[in-house]
Amino acid sequence: MGNSVEGKICLVTGGGRGIGRAVTEALAKAGAQKVIVCDINDTAFAEITAEYRNVEGMVADVTRTAEVAGLVQTINEKYGRIDVLVNNAGITRDALIQKMEDDAWDAVIDINLKGVFLTTRAVAPIMLAQGSGSIINMASVVGIDGNIGQTNYAASKGGVISMTKTWAKEFPRKGARITCNAVAPGFIRTPMTEKVPEKVLNLMVGKTPLGRMGEAEDVAKAVLFLASDDASFITGQVIRVDGGLTF
Ligand code: NAP
């Protein structure tokens, strides 16, 4: 099959814009049978579903157990399998520790950490029953190295990396060919980093050996590889896509 996701049923959370959108496009162009994009509102995925015949949008908030269960049930009833899960939905609510409010902590942990747990837990029985699957979690270099003003975000992404390693051990326990890896982007040009002051972005680019910000497509290419059959012996890994900013 080669570097292919042909015929696969994929689910990308938060796939309406930014990195998730680039991931969705990469999977769709590579011949996935269907890429299901979930987002909290249907306007987020209107464009991408109009553009690709094999992309379908479904509304679900990854922090709500019942919505996630409903989403996964709908996909399973319609397509009978889920081959690729990309846990991409994520937010930032930055502040220095002494100024970080409880709700900023809760919101980031809820979406970035609990959302990944809830979605993977819902997909688990399907992948285990079919005996195969690829789970790709969107982490961040911040989850490895930390970052000023991102206590909540660093904690959430560190947790995502720990869950990735746990699932890489747990899912194949009874012989299922299920891999779980994380991608850790550096500074990527998306709506999320539009909020970061220009001065900070320039500083980061200055520290990046490859001398530029990443594009969402740079991250999507790594995800596409991990979702493909070519990556079938790779699991429990964290792949940095950061132009060499950290290592
Ligand atoms: P983004 O442009 O803000 O996109 C995030 C997406 O997640 C949006 O489509 C958003 O939907 C969706 N989302 C938010 N809350 C959700 C929820 N509760 N349920 C379902 N979907 C939800 O961010 P991005 O830069 O593409 O980031 C994507 C992932 O990469 C995140 O996990 C982020 O932490 C990670 N990452 C990004 C960078 C970077 O530099 N950009 C670096 C490292 C890691 P709405 O549009 O409806 O709000």
Side-chain angles (χ1 to χ4, degrees):
M1 228 172 166
N3 186 15
S4 169
V5 291
E6 251 168 57
K8 292 189 197 274
I9 303 295
C10 312
L11 168 60
V12 182
T13 67
R17 67 176 207 209
I19 292 171
R21 185 188 168 123
V23 167
T24 301
E25 286 196 287
L27 291 166
K29 280 183 188 160
Q33 183 187 328
K34 200 61 101 179
V35 188
I36 292 98
V37 176
C38 99
D39 214 302
I40 28 186
N41 61 69
D42 56 4
T43 50
F45 48 66
E47 247 181 65
I48 187 132
T49 49
E51 205 173 326
Y52 294 91
R53 197 183 33 82
N54 55 346
V55 175
E56 181 174 344
M58 294 188 190
V59 175
D61 181 338
V62 295
T63 67
R64 295 180 187 274
T65 306
E67 287 186 29
V68 173
L71 165 79
V72 170
Q73 195 188 338
T74 306
I75 299 170
N76 200 33
E77 279 167 9
K78 217 163 164 186
Y79 300 106
R81 54 191 300 116
I82 297 179
D83 301 298
V84 176
L85 167 63
V86 183
N87 282 308
N88 166 80
I91 61 162
T92 51
R93 289 276 297 274
D94 298 351
L96 294 172
I97 179 71
Q98 68 275 25
K99 290 186 180 158
M100 189 171 280
E101 310 272 359
D102 288 16
D103 68 340
W105 169 268
D106 291 341
V108 169
I109 296 297
D110 245 27
I111 295 174
N112 298 14
L113 190 63
K114 192 177 180 191
V116 175
F117 159 65
L118 290 179
T119 313
T120 307
R121 186 180 64 179
V123 169
I126 296 167
M127 284 193 177
L128 287 167
Q130 72 202 19
S132 65
S134 315
I135 301 165
I136 298 128
N137 295 327
M138 205 53 73
S140 165
V141 293
V142 171
I144 308 168
D145 295 339
N147 196 25
I148 295 167
Q150 293 200 300
T151 296
N152 50 0
Y153 188 76
S156 73
K157 295 302 187 180
V160 164
I161 291 170
S162 304
M163 292 195 294
T164 302
K165 293 176 181 177
T166 297
W167 296 335
K169 291 177 177 167
E170 190 171 315
F171 276 87
R173 224 163 32 100
K174 292 186 176 159
R177 288 171 290 104
I178 300 172
T179 61
C180 183
N181 294 287
V183 172
F187 278 81
I188 311 298
R189 202 189 311 276
T190 69
M192 182 182 269
T193 46
E194 270 170 17
K195 293 179 278 179
V196 179
E198 193 68 25
K199 214 172 93 183
V200 177
L201 290 180
N202 288 339
L203 195 78
M204 289 302 169
V205 169
K207 287 184 182 168
T208 303
L210 291 176
R212 65 169 175 89
M213 273 186 85
E215 302 296 337
E217 291 71 25
D218 294 316
V219 181
K221 284 174 191 162
V223 175
L224 178 62
F225 169 64
L226 290 171
S228 79
D229 297 325
D230 276 353
S232 60
F233 201 53
I234 299 174
T235 197
Q237 302 303 308
V238 184
I239 299 188
R240 302 185 201 219
V241 182
D242 70 349
L245 175 66
T246 63
F247 56 84

